[in-house]
Amino acid sequence: MYDLLKEFAKGNRQKPTEAEAFLWEFLRERKLGQPFRRQHIIGEFIADFACIPAKLVIEIDGGYHQLPEQQISDEQRQEWLELQGFTVIRFTNEEVINNIDKVLDTIEQYL
């Protein structure tokens, strides 16, 4: 299973969404004072962004996250991550693209 997740994560890093690529420019190289990883495997899940020292996961939700079955999956994933001690914060693609200052403020509050 890990090998499949690893390949999937690698593919996601090579072809990020517009919102993921945009946010990564603000998270990379410790620009917020903490190290972030993108498309990081945690258990059986791949987090869009993870700050391991702060136990923070950031998820960027595209349109398909509005589908009922995806919402259930997202809830289960979040519950599992929280049981592992992570805080999960979610933003929509639109929030990242159109209101990056608010997104960064929210992330900094958790850090």
Side-chain angles (χ1 to χ4, degrees):
M1 179 70 150
Y2 180 80
D3 289 337
L4 289 173
L5 288 171
K6 189 175 177 180
E7 283 301 310
F8 192 63
K10 182 179 177 183
N12 286 347
R13 281 191 297 273
Q14 291 173 345
K15 295 184 180 184
T17 66
E18 178 185 6
E20 289 172 347
F22 187 53
L23 182 56
W24 180 238
E25 289 304 313
F26 294 92
L27 298 179
R28 65 189 298 184
E29 299 171 356
R30 295 180 182 247
K31 289 179 182 167
L32 295 182
Q34 292 284 340
F36 278 87
R37 300 174 184 183
R38 60 187 175 128
Q39 299 299 319
H40 182 68
I41 299 169
I42 303 172
E44 295 180 4
F45 302 105
I46 300 172
D48 290 337
F49 301 99
C51 179
I52 301 305
K55 304 253 339 176
L56 176 65
V57 169
I58 301 170
E59 292 293 322
I60 309 300
D61 294 342
Y64 74 95
H65 286 272
Q66 301 306 312
L67 298 172
E69 59 274 7
Q70 187 60 45
Q71 288 180 342
I72 292 169
S73 175
D74 287 346
E75 287 172 13
Q76 292 170 339
R77 166 191 173 110
Q78 184 162 333
E79 285 175 15
W80 186 88
L81 287 166
E82 288 172 349
L83 285 172
Q84 309 313 305
F86 287 90
T87 296
V88 179
I89 54 177
R90 307 184 90 80
F91 302 102
T92 64
N93 287 338
E94 293 77 20
E95 286 176 301
V96 171
I97 299 298
N98 298 321
N99 201 350
I100 191 65
D101 290 334
K102 182 179 178 193
V103 168
L104 294 173
D105 286 345
T106 301
I107 294 169
E108 286 178 317
Q109 286 176 6
Y110 281 94
L111 295 175

